[in-house]
Amino acid sequence: MELKEQITEITNKYITDPSFFLVDVIISGNSGMTKIKVILDGDKGVSIDDCASISRKVASEIEENKLIENAHVLEVTSPGLDQPITMLRQYKKNIGRKVEVTVQENKVFKGELKEVYDDKIIINAESGKGKKTTYALTELPMKDIIKTNILVSFS
């Protein structure tokens, strides 16, 4: 079993709250230093304490089972604002938020995420600027989505 699969399995074992879920495990670095980044999310977010708790348990099991021989760093974190949405569950938890969706041929849509289905999302897409801004419900098939980011509004 590859290291990524092992870390995924270990992490999932310690996610006991059903509102939490594993988004990704990213392994990087070279033979001198391995960096393991575990990205957790939750239906209502993930706190620093939640990440710390999972981190301690995963780190302990990595050490006990001697999964990594060389020096390593383990980071357990929640997705940052710059991190694209990758899972259906993340789309669902962000209904009502403003998103930027890039689809095939690099066409970009911005608007409020209104509905989420297994095979598509619906956003209230903006077009135009200022007083000439219009909105239209726009259906975007999941298979055409390259990237979706949450847009932060400070207003």
Side-chain angles (χ1 to χ4, degrees):
M1 188 183 303
E2 283 187 34
L3 181 59
K4 179 176 178 168
E5 292 168 330
Q6 290 175 309
I7 301 298
T8 298
E9 192 174 283
I10 290 167
T11 303
N12 279 325
K13 179 167 72 175
Y14 292 115
I15 297 175
T16 55
D17 184 329
S19 72
F20 294 157
F21 53 96
L22 179 63
V23 175
D24 201 3
V25 173
I26 302 166
I27 311 280
S28 61
N30 54 38
S31 59
M33 174 69 80
T34 301
K35 182 175 181 186
I36 305 162
K37 185 174 185 176
V38 176
I39 304 170
L40 299 177
D41 206 345
D43 297 326
K44 295 180 178 138
V46 178
S47 74
I48 292 171
D49 291 340
D50 298 325
C51 290
S53 174
I54 297 284
S55 179
R56 282 190 295 275
K57 293 171 184 171
V58 171
S60 176
E61 191 153 333
I62 288 171
E63 294 298 322
E64 278 178 32
N65 295 320
K66 296 180 174 63
L67 295 180
I68 304 171
E69 294 177 14
N70 59 336
H72 65 276
V73 175
L74 171 65
E75 177 186 2
V76 178
T77 184
S78 60
L81 291 174
D82 59 336
Q83 181 130 18
I85 294 174
T86 58
M87 302 174 72
L88 187 64
R89 195 164 171 182
Q90 288 177 298
Y91 278 99
K92 288 180 179 179
K93 82 171 223 163
N94 284 293
I95 290 173
R97 295 190 70 184
K98 191 169 179 183
V99 294
E100 179 178 88
V101 183
T102 304
V103 297
Q104 300 296 334
E105 299 175 17
N106 288 322
K107 189 166 183 179
V108 177
F109 295 89
K110 290 182 184 180
E112 182 184 346
L113 180 59
K114 299 299 261 178
E115 297 176 50
V116 176
Y117 301 94
D118 290 345
D119 61 342
K120 66 184 174 190
I121 63 172
I122 297 174
I123 67 169
N124 196 14
E126 301 175 4
S127 57
K129 295 219 183 262
K131 291 182 181 181
K132 295 185 180 185
T133 301
T134 59
Y135 299 89
L137 289 178
T138 305
E139 190 174 293
L140 302 170
M142 288 291 194
K143 66 179 177 49
D144 294 345
I145 296 175
I146 296 170
K147 180 172 79 168
T148 302
N149 285 87
I150 303 299
L151 296 177
V152 181
S153 173
F154 295 103
S155 55

